[in-house]
Amino acid sequence: MGADREEINDWLRLCHTPGVPPAAVRRLLAAFGPPSAIFTASRGALSDVVPVDVVGRLLARTSAELSTQIATTLEWAGRPGCAVVTLSETAYPRALLTLGDPPPILYCRGDATLANRSGDGGERAVAIVGSRRASAQGRDDARRFARVLGDAGVAIVSGLAAGIDAAAHEGALKTCGGTWAIVGTGADIVYPTHHRALAEQIAERGLMLSAFPIGTPPRPEHFPRRNRLIAALARCTVVVEATTHSGSLITARLAGELGRDVLAVPGSIHSPHSQGCHVLIRDGATLVASPDDVLEALGMTPSAPAHPVRGERKRRPRPSPARAGSETPDHGKRSAQGGNDAAPPLPGAHVSRKPPEVKVEADVSTVGPTNGPGGTAAVLDALGYDPVNADTLCERTGLAIADVLAQLGALELGGHVARLPGGRFGRLTLAD
């Protein structure tokens, strides 16, 4: 599966020759077909399609840098489970053809045919995204959503980032739906590095996919491009947890612009991790309280009773999914107390503001609390903003039940935690 050595050489030469812009590449492919036909066409014929100076650069001797890149890519593509898939191949994901400028070359680890097994256009693929600095509850929700959807045969698409992305991949790994990781680096690089074991499992059981050349390191400008592919590959995007400056809101906006459904999981009004989801819901995203709500959005019949999250006992009516529009969303910052609206309204909203500046965040799966009585910080962080019992806190912290109960008692005396009916505990303070 994938292009052969000669095809890889021609595609890389076409797409990565300095001074040959992507628009020129698209025009040449539309006019002549695959790169082999382009490089055998006459200079005059090529000049009828793109400027003469572009033709000169394209037909010039291959630079040493590009020759090295081609050799490196050929060596990588020769490894087991690695493939270069080009726009002209049947394995190329059909869902990406809905983009006006689909990446002409994809680098795959795993089964490159998986992206076309979830229905034409990805009808049985769902993106699950969210904050890198997710709460323990958010990660639990992402794993369960992914596991239930995967067991129903839905492929789970995400970005291999820490937090919600990693939890979604973990939940879907052993399901029949499987999982695809769309990365913002070369397919030979794992970012963050502590996800190496997870990446290997995804490559063995699912698919890792990149539009960036082999050896490409993580850069801030790559992740919005990665997010665009995630949105395009999935029938709908589910945001499990997000702050108002989370990159997952960019994925939600891009999904809406592509005509995909956008869904969001609600949370505590006091949790900064839920503010982005609440703004998405306010601006037209579908509220989802269980995986069954996502199955309904896909037109699939739930096979088991709903399992509400975050203490929901009754599923609420869902608003109509947001669709594409022409407005540019706002990605400014919104505090829990109010202020400027930070999250992007979905396409079609009435506000048009400056798009976000996306930064590569330190990829950590958890963020330690910054205060709380001595010895209780880990329990307070694991508690999050949703009522949980002591057994759940033991699982999240790795502490013995006696230690957890002792620290909960100290937090309760300090006014940080309240004891609730049913043996549960809830946070009283609004911030860590």
Side-chain angles (χ1 to χ4, degrees), residues 269-355:
I269 61 171
H270 304 303
S271 171
H273 300 295
S274 298
Q275 295 300 310
C277 291
H278 293 165
V279 175
L280 287 174
I281 293 168
R282 181 199 67 190
D283 291 332
T286 300
L287 184 153
V288 289
S290 76
D292 285 349
D293 292 333
V294 183
L295 292 174
E296 289 179 8
L298 295 173
M300 300 172 63
T301 302
S303 57
H307 300 281
V309 298
R310 304 187 186 279
E312 295 273 352
R313 294 187 178 180
K314 183 178 180 181
R315 284 165 45 200
R316 305 172 183 175
R318 298 183 295 113
S320 300
R323 290 293 188 179
S326 59
E327 297 295 328
T328 301
D330 174 30
H331 292 266
K333 188 173 182 182
R334 178 187 178 94
S335 68
Q337 289 76 27
N340 291 334
D341 201 338
L346 295 182
H350 67 283
V351 180
S352 178
R353 300 189 180 112
K354 184 179 179 180

Side-chain angles (χ1 to χ4, degrees), residues 17-373:
T17 294
V20 180
V25 170
R26 291 193 294 272
R27 293 183 65 181
L28 289 166
L29 289 170
F32 298 99
S36 57
I38 295 172
F39 289 117
T40 57
S42 68
R43 185 179 292 268
L46 295 173
S47 299
D48 289 338
V49 178
V50 295
V52 175
D53 58 335
V54 172
V55 174
R57 297 187 194 103
L58 190 64
L59 299 182
R61 179 187 293 272
T62 302
S63 67
E65 182 179 0
L66 182 53
S67 295
T68 299
Q69 181 183 343
I70 291 172
T72 300
T73 303
L74 290 173
E75 188 277 328
W76 178 85
R79 300 176 188 176
C82 299
V84 176
V85 176
T86 69
L87 195 59
S88 63
E89 296 177 68
T90 57
Y92 191 91
R94 290 187 291 272
L96 294 184
L97 299 179
T98 60
L99 298 172
D101 54 344
I105 306 174
L106 296 174
Y107 304 85
C108 303
R109 290 188 64 201
D111 189 346
T113 69
L114 284 179
N116 286 331
R117 292 187 196 171
S118 294
D120 191 10
E123 283 88 349
R124 293 173 69 89
V126 168
I128 296 181
V129 298
S131 176
R132 289 180 171 90
R133 295 180 173 89
S135 69
Q137 181 68 62
R139 296 193 298 275
D140 287 348
D141 290 344
R143 288 189 194 94
R144 188 168 63 81
F145 269 64
R147 183 177 65 253
V148 174
L149 294 172
D151 284 341
V154 175
I156 301 302
V157 186
S158 201
L160 197 63
I164 297 300
D165 286 22
H169 290 308
E170 291 164 359
L173 263 177
K174 296 182 180 180
T175 68
C176 60
T179 187
W180 316 338
I182 317 304
V183 299
T185 64
D188 59 325
I189 293 176
V190 175
Y191 177 79
T193 56
H194 64 268
H195 281 173
R196 189 171 303 280
L198 176 60
E200 290 303 320
Q201 293 181 71
I202 295 172
E204 289 174 6
R205 301 176 181 178
L207 172 64
M208 284 188 63
L209 183 151
S210 174
F212 298 97
I214 297 303
T216 302
R219 296 192 181 104
E221 64 270 18
H222 291 172
F223 291 93
R225 293 167 60 186
R226 184 273 312 266
N227 293 349
R228 185 168 180 253
L229 298 187
I230 292 175
L233 285 166
R235 171 63 182 81
C236 63
T237 292
V238 179
V239 183
V240 174
E241 203 170 61
T243 62
T244 52
H245 59 275
S246 173
S248 58
L249 299 189
I250 299 176
T251 308
R253 171 176 65 84
L254 294 168
E257 291 175 351
L258 292 169
R260 312 295 202 259
D261 290 337
V262 177
L263 305 91
V265 178
S268 168
I269 61 171
H270 304 303
S271 171
H273 300 295
S274 298
Q275 295 300 310
C277 291
H278 293 165
V279 175
L280 287 174
I281 293 168
R282 181 199 67 190
D283 291 332
T286 300
L287 184 153
V288 289
S290 76
D292 285 349
D293 292 333
V294 183
L295 292 174
E296 289 179 8
L298 295 173
M300 300 172 63
T301 302
S303 57
H307 300 281
V309 298
R310 304 187 186 279
E312 295 273 352
R313 294 187 178 180
K314 183 178 180 181
R315 284 165 45 200
R316 305 172 183 175
R318 298 183 295 113
S320 300
R323 290 293 188 179
S326 59
E327 297 295 328
T328 301
D330 174 30
H331 292 266
K333 188 173 182 182
R334 178 187 178 94
S335 68
Q337 289 76 27
N340 291 334
D341 201 338
L346 295 182
H350 67 283
V351 180
S352 178
R353 300 189 180 112
K354 184 179 179 180
E357 176 184 354
V358 178
K359 299 181 180 179
V360 178
E361 301 178 10
D363 252 323
V364 290
S365 59
T366 60
V367 174
T370 57
N371 63 11

